[in-house]
């Protein structure tokens, strides 16, 4: 793993030293030739938009699990404001009435689950998504296991619970808070935000953004929490959220953010992607709807935009 990362870093530096430029046209030709359902894509170099293709700013598209990164940012802002402690139990922030309805055994188990454990998907046993008339009640009744062990287990429920916890910590509707503290500063106007039957922002999925909108979130993280000269998120939180906090087979996971090569990425279910590569000065975003379990699109992107050759 270390050898791979080092080689990849060296390759990137050699590309810069040798003046090798990216082949954006080659990437677009691959999209068109293969009929990949890519709505649009943007490429930023050193914070400046240098390439774009397709519908990047007129339409919004589902971003699925990329929504989780928005919840991570919300948690980070609440953390920066001193209203949320990552190491505290999630039960410290959930509605008192909901916690009181839990059995003694369930409450004791969930007492060990911190916000950090949810952000890193390191609790086993959650089903993939909450169901029923109350997502909160369903989530708190889940029979999680091995809470004392850290094992990567991907589920929508941790993101949902973090969203509810942040809402309670802020004493404010989370969508309203995000509008004022994230969306408006990033010039994202009234994004689609799904709510659960209890009325909370779902947080795990259900958002719709344009390609350009998602790029702005990527640029915020690329710049260490600063956007257009305004600090929105602390550098401390960005470093924690984008670093490897939990090992997994994909290379590592932060706070609802994936490790990607010498950077990190925001990922959605059907190939909604924002790749952030600070050492290379790159932010690459595309929104797609491709359900096939194929790596062809990302391999084309890496070949043409990152100069990585596959043999």
């Amino acid at each position: 793993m270390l050898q791979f990362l080092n080689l990849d870093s060296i390759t990137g530096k050699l590309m810069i030293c040798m003046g090798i430029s990216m082949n954006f046209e080659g990437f677009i030709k691959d999209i068109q030739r293969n009929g990949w359902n890519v709505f649009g894509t943007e490429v930023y170099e050193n914070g400046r938009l240098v390439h774009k293709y397709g519908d990047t700013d007129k339409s919004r598209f589902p971003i699925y699990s990329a929504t989780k990164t928005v919840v991570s940012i919300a948690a980070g802002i609440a953390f920066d404001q001193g209203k949320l402690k990552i190491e505290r139990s999630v039960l410290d922030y959930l509605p008192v009435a909901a916690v009181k309805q839990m059995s003694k055994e369930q409450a004791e188990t969930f007492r060990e689950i911190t916000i950090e454990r949810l952000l890193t998907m390191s609790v086993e046993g959650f089903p993939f998504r909450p169901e029923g008339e109350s997502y909160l009640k369903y989530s708190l009744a889940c029979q999680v296991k091995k809470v004392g062990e850290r094992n990567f287990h991907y589920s929508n429920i941790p993101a949902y619970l973090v969203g509810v916890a942040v809402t309670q910590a802020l004493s404010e509707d989370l969508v309203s808070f995000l509008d004022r503290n994230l969306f408006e500063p990033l010039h994202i106007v009234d994004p689609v935000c799904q709510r659960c039957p209890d009325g909370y922002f779902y947080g795990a999925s259900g958002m719709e953004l344009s390609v350009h909108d998602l790029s702005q979130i990527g640029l915020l993280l690329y710049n260490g929490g600063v956007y257009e000269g305004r600090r929105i998120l602390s550098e401390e939180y960005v470093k924690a959220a984008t670093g490897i906090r939990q090992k997994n087979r994909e290379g590592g996971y932060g706070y609802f953010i994936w490790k990607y090569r010498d950077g990190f990425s925001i990922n959605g279910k059907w190939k909604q992607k924002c790749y952030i590569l600070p050492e290379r000065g790159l932010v690459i975003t595309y929104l797609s709807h491709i359900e096939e379990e194929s790596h062809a699109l990302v391999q084309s992107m890496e070949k043409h935009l990152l100069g990585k050759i596959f043999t």
Side-chain angles (χ1 to χ4, degrees), residues 56-86:
T56 60
D57 56 8
K58 292 182 175 61
S59 304
R60 288 174 173 163
F61 307 96
I63 63 168
Y64 297 98
S65 285
T67 306
K68 294 178 175 70
T69 302
V70 175
V71 171
S72 175
I73 292 172
I77 297 172
F79 168 80
D80 293 338
Q81 293 181 356
K83 296 178 180 178
L84 182 81
K85 294 186 182 296
I86 304 299

Side-chain angles (χ1 to χ4, degrees), residues 89-162:
S89 170
V90 66
L91 294 190
D92 291 341
Y93 297 103
L94 295 181
V96 174
V99 175
K100 284 184 176 180
Q101 290 178 355
M102 300 174 71
S103 69
K104 182 179 179 181
E105 183 179 356
Q106 274 293 92
E108 288 176 352
T109 298
F110 270 74
R111 179 60 59 187
E112 297 183 49
I113 301 174
T114 63
I115 299 294
E116 190 271 345
R117 294 291 301 279
L118 296 174
L119 285 167
T120 53
M121 299 280 186
S122 59
V123 179
E124 288 191 80
F126 286 118
F128 181 68
R129 60 173 64 88
E131 300 175 357
E133 297 181 357
S134 172
Y135 284 7
L136 184 55
K137 184 176 180 180
Y138 178 94
S139 299
L140 294 180
C142 290
Q143 298 300 306
V144 294
K145 54 188 178 181
K146 300 180 182 178
V147 176
E149 300 178 15
R150 294 186 67 105
N151 294 299
F152 187 73
H153 180 80
Y154 192 84
S155 164
N156 282 352
I157 291 176
Y160 170 67
L161 287 175
V162 170

Side-chain angles (χ1 to χ4, degrees), residues 254-266:
Y255 295 163
F256 299 152
I257 296 172
W258 297 83
K259 176 65 179 174
Y260 173 75
R261 300 198 177 280
D262 54 355
F264 49 93
S265 67
I266 303 169

Side-chain angles (χ1 to χ4, degrees), residues 22-30 51 304-305:
M22 66 175 62
N23 181 11
F24 186 73
E25 289 186 2
F27 179 46
I28 301 309
K29 285 180 181 178
D30 273 1
H51 298 292
H304 294 297
L305 304 189

